[in-house]
């Protein structure tokens, strides 16, 4: 559905993005992650034909973004950061204006606007002047306008920025509901949001794609998993035994209330739990608790965007 | 969502074509039908009423219809119409429009009294010229204020990003805004027509008759001038994000064009030798001021109209390039 190959954009000598490539299949929700200023918006602006890239190509729905810009724009719903609307128009006027710009006929316009007002829970606000709306409501109006005409691809630039937690949840819920039916790219620098909604990730750092893949793949490949063990007994001895279990990379010993607490890092793709239980028992420890946790996305993100390189 | 059809050219499903292809047709038909009517009217009047007032005005009326037909065809482009509609709605919602229109009406009324010496004796033709003259000058100040927000505001608020990523071309955007600006300016000038009606009503039988021919070409000249001002203002608005800055750019540009048109011919006429008169006639040929004067003389000078139209189109072209500049800046 979306294929990006080797996109590079320079502002003068400054490279905003370099050799960005990724793919999004139909129905996928791609979380586009990266610290501020890493090139998320630039990539999205190129994809939506706002400006061309210095080099590289991209195809949306099979149309080249440079050669078939008009077709690409018909197939993409783009919501820029901060959702600029016209504050002097009423919500329904604005939606009708956008629908007409997108070439919707009268009957389809009415039908779609009614549907979207309902779907984005704009409800009674559809006759309110946009300038008087709250930020969250404005975001919903923006999303509704983006959905007009049923574009199969949605590109949402930081759709949750500046919203309160309840509004964030609502917007994310809406986006999640659209996944499967539409192909979605949305950018964010807030990890839990991406984890909640996206099934695929592209992490961008200093203008380069640092990592792409499904949520599972990324956490597994980059992180492995963590096991936490609480046991009664000689901590040192238990740790030595645990470190010998195959697949264990590292075990850090701590203590709490006189109990030994081990944070064990297990290599990706191995299940070391059984071995760990035996090792603890073999070292004469009494196993009280063993809990598994995936490395959180936050760990991966921090490691990729901060420490590496 | 409506049922999706798979496009042969596309590798994946896209939404069905929703654009009504007929949107353009009624407007073109209207323009063509109108033109046929106007041509027929022309013929009939020339044939059967060669000396009527209306026949005298025919060239100017034809030119006006030409503008109207062009307007119809351009607004026939659905996207241009939508953009123009929003612009007009925004303009007429703001109190600024009415304040400007009111002030404009008051100030342009002043020359009516000066040129007529009160309403005792009305030289309607001279007054009309005076009004058009004054409008031409005053619009220099008003037009940039009307046009300043057209593109600057879109850029400042970020809605430009939505606009250019919707399926509209940069020409659609520029044309939509330009037509809206012209309509606004024309709407502000329209009340001045009241004076002409007033003159016609106050005319005593002993007074010289109203020269409708002159009045009609003056109207054509005024519309040309307004369109040109609107295009310069639009370009100014495309050059800056800041409305005040774009108003100033427009003001300075228009003022310079005006002053050069007056000053250059005068300057060249002071030159001795053969070069002087040549340069003077050249400067006059491209001086919008002089071109307007020709139209105010009651002569429908095609060269003058062509100058106005071509410079307007040039300004629109520059505006499109300025909108496009996001791509290579």
């Amino acid at each position: 559905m979306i294929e990006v190959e080797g996109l590079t954009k320079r502002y003068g000598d400054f490279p905003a993005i370099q050799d960005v490539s990724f793919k999004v299949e139909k129905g996928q929700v791609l979380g586009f992650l990266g610290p501020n200023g890493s090139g998320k918006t630039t990539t999205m602006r190129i994809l939506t034909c706002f400006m061309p890239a210095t080099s590289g190509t991209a195809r949306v729905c099979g149309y080249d973004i440079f050669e078939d810009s008009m077709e690409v724009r018909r197939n993409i719903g783009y919501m820029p950061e901060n959702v600029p609307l016209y504050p002097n128009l009423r919500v329904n006027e604005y939606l009708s204006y956008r629908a007409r710009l997108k070439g919707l006929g009268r009957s389809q316009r009415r039908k779609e606007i009614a549907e979207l007002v309902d779907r984005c829970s704009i409800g009674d606000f559809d006759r309110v002047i946009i300038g008087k709306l709250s930020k969250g409501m404005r975001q919903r109006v923006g999303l509704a306008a983006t959905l007009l005409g049923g574009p199969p691809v949605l590109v949402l630039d930081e759709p949750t920025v500046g919203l309160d937690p309840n509004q964030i949840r609502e917007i994310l819920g809406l986006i999640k509901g659209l996944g499967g039916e539409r192909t979605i790219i949305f950018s964010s620098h807030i990890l839990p949001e991406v984890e909640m909604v996206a099934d695929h990730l592209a992490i961008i750092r200093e203008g380069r794609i640092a990592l792409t893949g499904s949520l599972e793949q990324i956490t597994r490949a980059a992180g492995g998993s963590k096991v936490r063990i609480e046991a009664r007994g000689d901590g040192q001895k238990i740790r030595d035994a645990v470190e010998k279990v195959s697949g264990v990379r590292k075990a850090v010993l701590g203590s709490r209330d006189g109990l030994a607490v081990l944070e064990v890092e297990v290599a990706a793709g191995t299940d070391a739990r059984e071995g760990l239980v035996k090792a603890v028992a073999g070292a004469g420890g009494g196993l009280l608790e063993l809990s598994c946790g995936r490395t959180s996305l936050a760990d991966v993100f921090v490691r990729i965007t901060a420490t590496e390189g | 969502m409506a049922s999706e059809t798979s496009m042969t050219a596309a590798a994946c499903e896209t939404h069905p074509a929703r654009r009504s292809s007929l949107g353009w047709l009624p407007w073109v038909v209207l323009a063509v039908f109108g033109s046929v009517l106007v041509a027929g009217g022309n013929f009939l009047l020339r044939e059967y009423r060669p000396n009527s007032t209306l026949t005298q005005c025919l060239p100017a009326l034809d030119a006006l219809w030409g503008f109207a037909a062009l307007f119809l065809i351009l607004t026939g482009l659905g996207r241009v119409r939508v953009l123009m509609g929003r612009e007009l709605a925004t303009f007429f919602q703001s109190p600024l429009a009415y304040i400007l229109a009111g002030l404009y009406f008051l100030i342009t009324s002043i020359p009516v009294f000066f040129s007529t010496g009160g309403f005792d004796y009305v030289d309607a033709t001279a007054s009309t010229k005076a009004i058009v003259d004054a409008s031409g000058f005053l619009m220099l100040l008003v037009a940039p204020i009307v046009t300043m927000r057209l593109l600057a505001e879109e850029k400042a608020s970020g809605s430009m990003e939505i606009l250019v990523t919707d399926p509209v071309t940069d020409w659609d955007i520029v044309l939509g805004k330009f037509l809206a600006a012209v309509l606004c300016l024309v709407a502000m000038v329209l009340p001045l027509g009241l004076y002409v009606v007033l003159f016609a009503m106050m005319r005593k039988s002993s007074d010289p008759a109203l020269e409708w021919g002159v009045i009609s070409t003056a109207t054509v000249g005024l519309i040309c001038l307004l369109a040109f001002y609107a295009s310069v203002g639009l370009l100014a608005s495309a050059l800056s994000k800041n409305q005040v800055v774009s108003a100033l750019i427009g003001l300075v540009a228009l003022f310079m064009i005006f002053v050069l048109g007056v000053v250059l011919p005068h300057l060249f006429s002071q030159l001795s030798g053969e070069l002087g008169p040549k340069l003077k006639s050249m400067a006059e040929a491209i001086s919008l001021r002089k071109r307007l004067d020709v139209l105010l003389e009651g002569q429908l000078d095609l060269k003058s109209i062509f100058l106005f139209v071509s410079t307007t189109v040039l300004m629109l072209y520059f505006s499109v390039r300025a909108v496009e500049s996001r791509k290579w800046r």
Side-chain angles (χ1 to χ4, degrees):
Chain A
M1 207 69 175
I2 303 171
E3 297 159 53
V4 182
E5 273 177 47
L7 278 190
T8 300
K9 172 78 187 176
R10 284 174 215 282
Y11 295 108
D13 282 338
F14 173 73
I17 56 170
Q18 281 184 64
D19 201 24
V20 166
S21 305
F22 59 86
K23 251 184 194 175
V24 192
E25 301 294 333
K26 189 176 178 358
Q28 283 182 357
V29 180
L30 178 84
F32 203 40
L33 253 160
N36 291 329
S38 56
K40 298 188 297 276
T41 301
T42 304
T43 311
M44 290 184 150
R45 282 183 169 176
I46 293 171
L47 271 182
T48 52
C49 306
F50 178 75
M51 57 188 183
T54 314
S55 65
T57 58
R59 298 174 80 75
V60 176
C61 285
Y63 297 107
D64 189 284
I65 54 167
F66 305 123
E67 276 155 31
D68 289 317
S69 148
M70 216 31 137
E71 278 306 322
V72 170
R73 286 189 255 169
R74 280 195 190 106
N75 284 291
I76 286 187
Y78 175 42
M79 187 163 91
E81 202 179 342
N82 296 324
V83 200
L85 307 171
Y86 298 114
N88 62 318
L89 295 185
R90 291 173 198 282
V91 172
N92 56 351
E93 286 169 347
Y94 179 72
L95 291 177
S96 161
Y97 159 77
R98 286 294 298 281
R100 279 183 296 161
L101 264 195
K102 292 181 182 198
L104 267 64
R106 184 188 306 232
S107 59
Q108 194 179 2
R109 203 157 69 218
R110 279 206 197 127
K111 200 181 106 216
E112 281 199 20
I113 290 176
E115 252 172 48
L116 287 170
V117 162
D118 193 41
R119 181 167 198 172
C120 301
S121 13
I122 293 167
D124 297 336
F125 288 88
D126 68 332
R127 282 179 202 285
V128 176
I129 288 171
I130 290 176
K132 291 181 178 165
L133 292 178
S134 69
K135 179 96 174 107
M137 188 53 80
R138 239 176 274 186
Q139 213 91 357
R140 277 187 250 171
V141 173
L143 192 62
T146 309
L147 290 170
L148 279 170
V153 175
L154 298 177
V155 176
L156 313 171
D157 196 358
E158 309 231 349
T160 55
V161 87
L163 299 183
D164 72 34
N166 286 327
Q167 294 167 331
I168 289 178
R169 192 180 297 248
E170 275 174 31
I171 288 281
L172 289 180
L174 269 171
I175 295 172
K176 195 166 189 167
L178 292 164
E181 168 194 348
R182 318 280 175 95
T183 310
I184 302 175
I185 298 184
F186 85 99
S187 73
S188 176
H189 56 265
I190 302 165
L191 291 144
E193 287 183 1
V194 179
E195 263 181 308
M196 243 176 88
V197 178
D199 41 38
H200 283 68
L201 270 184
I203 299 180
I204 189 168
R205 168 176 166 265
E206 287 172 13
R208 290 174 185 279
I209 294 281
L211 200 59
T212 73
S214 71
L215 222 54
E216 297 270 302
Q217 279 171 341
I218 283 187
T219 38
R220 229 188 307 129
S225 54
K226 265 186 187 165
V227 179
R228 187 171 178 278
I229 296 172
E230 260 187 61
R232 207 192 306 278
D234 183 354
Q236 208 62 40
K237 218 166 139 190
I238 296 173
R239 197 192 71 168
D240 293 343
V242 161
E243 281 196 322
K244 287 190 188 96
V245 175
S246 76
V248 171
R249 277 203 232 139
K250 202 169 88 180
V252 180
L253 178 65
S255 69
R256 189 169 66 89
D257 302 340
L259 299 172
V261 178
L262 283 154
E263 299 280 353
V264 185
E265 256 185 51
V266 182
T270 49
D271 190 351
R273 285 175 296 182
E274 211 179 326
L276 287 173
V277 174
K278 283 180 183 160
V280 173
L287 182 64
L288 298 175
E289 192 188 320
L290 184 145
S291 54
C292 290
R294 279 193 324 187
T295 316
S296 77
L297 206 51
D299 295 342
V300 179
F301 182 68
V302 168
R303 193 149 73 222
I304 288 174
T305 55
T307 4
E308 233 174 53
Chain B
M1 209 169 72
S3 68
E4 285 181 330
T5 54
S6 63
M7 311 260 293
T8 42
C12 57
E13 283 176 288
T14 53
H15 59 75
R18 299 167 267 96
R19 280 150 284 128
S20 54
S21 50
L22 279 177
W24 205 39
L25 203 59
W27 302 83
V28 176
V29 167
L30 204 62
V32 171
F33 186 66
S35 299
V36 170
L37 278 186
V38 168
N42 266 308
F43 174 77
L44 289 178
L45 277 173
R46 289 224 169 83
E47 201 71 1
Y48 298 105
R49 292 276 154 74
N51 296 319
S52 76
T53 347
L54 207 54
T55 319
Q56 285 168 23
C57 302
L58 268 182
L61 289 178
D62 289 347
L64 285 179
W65 168 253
F67 292 147
L70 199 63
F71 179 78
L72 280 178
I73 290 174
L74 288 178
T75 43
L77 296 166
R79 299 167 305 210
V80 173
R81 190 167 67 243
V82 174
L83 288 163
M84 183 183 76
R86 192 195 71 79
E87 220 53 69
L88 284 174
T90 307
F91 182 75
F92 287 109
Q93 268 173 18
S94 75
L96 182 72
Y98 300 98
I99 295 170
L100 275 181
L103 275 177
Y104 182 77
F105 184 66
L106 282 181
I107 296 178
T108 35
S109 299
I110 295 171
V112 175
F113 295 99
F114 280 117
S115 67
T116 57
F119 277 121
D120 295 338
Y121 167 71
V122 183
D123 182 350
T125 316
S127 304
T128 309
K129 279 194 218 167
I131 289 176
V132 172
D133 234 5
S135 312
F137 187 75
L138 196 63
M139 268 298 168
L140 220 65
L141 311 172
V142 175
I145 299 175
V146 171
T147 57
M148 65 181 182
R149 38 162 294 282
L150 288 176
L151 285 159
E153 191 182 44
E154 301 261 13
K155 283 194 283 184
S157 77
S159 49
M160 195 70 174
E161 207 169 325
I162 288 184
L163 199 52
V164 297
T165 52
D166 266 340
V168 293
T169 64
D170 294 346
W171 269 106
D172 290 335
I173 297 169
V174 166
L175 279 178
K177 291 186 181 276
F178 167 71
L179 292 180
V182 174
L183 280 189
C184 292
L185 295 182
V186 169
M188 291 172 77
V189 172
L190 225 49
L192 295 175
L194 283 177
Y195 279 118
V196 180
V197 176
L198 204 63
F199 298 148
M201 279 163 53
M202 286 168 65
R203 191 175 75 88
K204 291 189 273 297
S205 50
S206 56
D207 292 342
L210 253 72
E211 290 177 51
W212 286 104
V214 174
I215 294 173
S216 59
T217 54
T219 312
V220 172
L222 189 58
I223 289 178
C224 282
L225 196 71
L226 294 182
F228 175 70
Y229 284 177
S231 67
V232 173
L234 184 61
L235 176 59
S237 178
L239 293 177
S240 172
K241 257 187 187 181
N242 185 317
Q243 295 188 29
V244 178
V245 172
S246 70
L248 283 176
I249 295 175
L251 194 67
V252 170
L254 284 177
F255 203 72
M256 272 174 58
I257 291 167
F258 178 82
V259 169
L260 283 181
V262 175
V263 169
L264 276 184
H266 184 68
L267 216 63
F268 289 141
S269 68
Q270 307 288 313
L271 284 176
S272 56
E274 263 187 33
L275 203 59
K278 267 187 190 160
L279 281 176
K280 178 177 181 257
S281 65
M282 266 170 70
E284 273 181 350
I286 56 165
S287 155
L288 295 176
R289 181 70 240 163
K290 291 287 173 211
R291 298 289 105 193
L292 185 64
D293 280 346
V294 171
L295 290 170
L296 288 184
E297 289 308 312
Q299 193 188 347
L300 194 79
D301 180 29
L302 281 181
K303 271 190 290 182
S304 304
I305 293 182
F306 182 76
L307 183 72
F308 278 113
V309 172
S310 57
T311 43
T312 303
V313 171
L314 190 68
M315 293 301 142
L316 292 181
Y317 174 74
F318 286 150
S319 307
V320 171
R321 303 303 286 185
V323 171
E324 268 177 9
S325 72
R326 69 174 188 279
K327 292 181 179 169
W328 35 262
R329 254 211 301 245

